[in-house]
Amino acid sequence: MEEHVIEPRVRVNGGALARHMGRPVSIMGTVLNTHPNGISVELKTTDNQVVTVRMQEPFQEPLSGLVEFHGTVQGKNTVSSDFYLSFPPEFTNNFDLEQYNEAVTLLNAISNPWIS
Amino acid sequence: MWDSRSYGNDQGGFFNSPSQFASPSEKQDKPARRVQNIVPVTVRQILESREDGLKIGSMDVHMFTLVALVRHVEVSSTKVTYLLDDGTGGITGVFWLESTDREEQQVIPSVVENMYCRVYASLRTSQGKKHIFVFRIMNLDNLNDLTRHILEVMYSSLKIQKIKTSEITMNSHANSNISLASSFMATSASNQPSGFSPQQNLVYSTISKCGRDIGAHRDEVIKALEGKMSAREVMNVVDFLSNEGHIYTTIDDDHFRCTDN
């Protein structure tokens, strides 16, 4: 199998973006709207902030619901993404957003195995 | 002299008797005992583990659980190879298929690329490269499981640190108890459990010093401790020790023996 080099990403929410400028992150949120040009999306993060995600290529399919983006932080509410993961509704209908947000906040606050 | 690691052995018979401090010293005396816990970890913890195996803090970890994104799946006739990425790094997981000559279909886990899944596995190193031996891999059925894993990893890591520091304080606590007990006793082999008040120690050791099968009579104990404790105090302590199970009655209600003799 070919070598896949996987770079560590930090799981963030809207508020944590500013601390990780230029670094690889994972960010989860619900899609508010997609730009007509097909490469930009507005995401409402789990801490209720609005973040703009820019893709490399236009989306193949309309995005809605809960989506996780992997990418690099460009600004305090912009991320450029090269990969996304869209979850089926049955996977996310019981998802506790607040709890996830607390976990992500905690992860970014104390020293733990998730972050270097 | 009071080296916390070896004092159990230096004390002769002390730690052979059941004692609440048996467990920390037991762990050190039996390094071969296999730890069976399944610990939630991150890929980074696995990749950063040293040659002597995966450890979290000071605890050896043999089986662990991960929640990761399946980036790549490769099926061969003998195994399925997964590339697992949980955000902290990527690692290869191998799930060996059961060899079968019959026409039975081998059960391949229904895990596909770009899905989060839970993995139960163990670390293997071959040719210097680390990979994981997968016992079970299955799709997450609920995204809350991801949150759960994030929290469990943090919790386990902190808990293990906490156990370690409480072991250290327990060891130093035991040290101070022994010196306290020894300073009260004339005899060298102090065979009693720690955690006793000085009075309890006195009564207990008086009873244990009596070599007879029928044990010591209540009055004998009172007489022996005349001047140090009043009769009433001795009786109170005797009742307490008896209730706690440290001493028991023999031929009648007034003769006592130590349970640890």
Side-chain angles (χ1 to χ4, degrees):
Chain A
M1 192 159 79
E2 73 213 59
E3 271 298 317
H4 293 248
V5 177
I6 290 175
E7 223 185 325
R9 302 181 300 276
V10 181
R11 209 170 264 282
V12 294
N13 54 17
L17 278 180
R19 271 175 277 154
H20 296 283
M21 291 288 270
R23 295 216 288 260
V25 295
S26 288
I27 188 162
M28 206 187 289
T30 40
V31 174
L32 288 171
N33 56 60
T34 51
H35 203 271
N37 65 16
I39 62 169
S40 173
V41 147
E42 299 230 307
L43 203 66
K44 183 165 103 153
T45 60
T46 51
D47 55 345
N48 293 322
Q49 302 218 10
V50 179
V51 166
T52 309
V53 180
R54 293 215 167 82
M55 297 292 294
Q56 317 269 16
E57 314 165 329
F59 296 109
Q60 304 300 330
E61 59 199 353
L63 275 184
S64 69
L66 200 66
V67 181
E68 177 174 292
F69 286 94
H70 297 168
T72 317
V73 182
Q74 302 293 339
K76 71 179 195 335
N77 32 37
T78 338
V79 175
S80 82
S81 165
D82 56 0
F83 177 84
Y84 71 88
L85 201 53
S86 168
F87 301 115
E90 58 272 12
F91 200 63
T92 58
N93 58 13
N94 283 334
F95 186 50
D96 190 334
L97 290 153
E98 245 184 77
Q99 198 174 64
Y100 174 83
N101 193 57
E102 271 191 63
V104 169
T105 308
L106 199 58
L107 183 160
N108 279 300
I110 63 174
S111 141
N112 65 78
W114 293 104
I115 58 176
S116 319
Chain B
M1 191 187 181
W2 297 114
D3 172 37
S4 65
R5 216 149 295 152
S6 61
Y7 70 93
N9 299 327
D10 288 342
Q11 283 289 345
F14 185 81
F15 272 94
N16 289 336
S17 63
S19 147
Q20 71 225 71
F21 297 103
S23 29
S25 51
E26 255 176 28
K27 251 183 226 160
Q28 283 136 10
D29 292 341
K30 296 183 194 168
R33 188 171 75 178
R34 273 224 132 188
V35 180
Q36 295 290 339
N37 306 321
I38 302 180
V39 185
V41 296
T42 61
V43 169
R44 199 174 127 246
Q45 285 172 296
I46 299 170
L47 293 175
E48 289 182 351
S49 64
R50 291 196 319 255
E51 285 309 308
D52 54 350
L54 179 59
K55 276 168 118 69
I56 305 213
S58 59
M59 188 169 110
D60 279 325
V61 172
H62 295 280
M63 273 185 280
F64 49 79
T65 177
L66 283 175
V67 167
L69 197 57
V70 175
R71 289 284 195 178
H72 194 73
V73 178
E74 222 173 79
V75 182
S76 84
S77 55
T78 51
K79 62 187 187 199
V80 184
T81 311
Y82 300 96
L83 179 60
L84 299 157
D85 164 17
D86 72 347
T88 65
I91 195 164
T92 306
V94 178
F95 180 79
W96 293 94
L97 299 171
E98 268 163 54
S99 61
T100 167
D101 306 315
R102 294 166 285 168
E103 278 156 19
E104 248 177 58
Q105 277 294 337
Q106 287 162 348
V107 179
I108 298 176
S110 63
V111 167
V112 292
E113 294 182 7
N114 295 331
M115 243 338 257
Y116 274 106
C117 66
R118 184 173 276 285
V119 182
Y120 293 99
S122 190
L123 180 60
R124 294 280 183 274
T125 314
S126 80
Q127 297 153 350
K129 259 199 73 182
K130 289 191 174 116
H131 68 269
I132 67 178
F133 180 103
V134 176
F135 298 118
R136 192 134 149 80
I137 180 166
M138 50 223 209
N139 289 319
L140 237 47
D141 50 21
N142 194 313
L143 201 53
N144 287 316
D145 255 348
L146 173 64
T147 311
R148 176 188 160 193
H149 184 69
I150 293 171
L151 294 167
E152 278 185 345
V153 164
M154 290 197 271
Y155 176 77
S156 302
S157 155
L158 289 168
K159 181 83 184 189
I160 291 172
Q161 275 176 45
K162 192 168 177 214
I163 291 176
K164 179 148 201 243
T165 51
S166 80
E167 260 182 29
I168 293 170
T169 52
M170 240 195 353
N171 282 343
S172 54
H173 198 53
N175 271 337
S176 55
N177 268 343
I178 291 168
S179 29
L180 188 69
S182 302
S183 65
F184 274 91
M185 296 308 127
T187 52
S188 50
S190 48
N191 217 14
Q192 80 275 39
S194 305
F196 279 171
S197 74
Q199 288 193 336
Q200 290 162 358
N201 276 332
L202 274 176
V203 173
Y204 189 89
S205 74
T206 308
I207 295 174
S208 87
K209 267 190 268 185
C210 177
R212 299 198 311 256
D213 277 342
I214 57 167
H217 191 279
R218 201 190 288 265
D219 291 340
E220 288 173 355
V221 180
I222 292 175
K223 188 143 194 290
L225 295 173
E226 208 174 6
K228 292 196 201 117
M229 283 169 66
S230 72
R232 174 171 295 268
E233 282 170 336
V234 172
M235 293 197 359
N236 284 341
V237 173
V238 162
D239 284 341
F240 168 79
L241 292 174
S242 165
N243 282 338
E244 295 291 307
H246 299 299
I247 61 179
Y248 60 94
T249 54
T250 54
I251 54 169
D252 62 23
D253 283 343
D254 293 324
H255 283 86
F256 296 95
R257 276 201 71 177
C258 293
T259 24
D260 283 333
N261 267 343

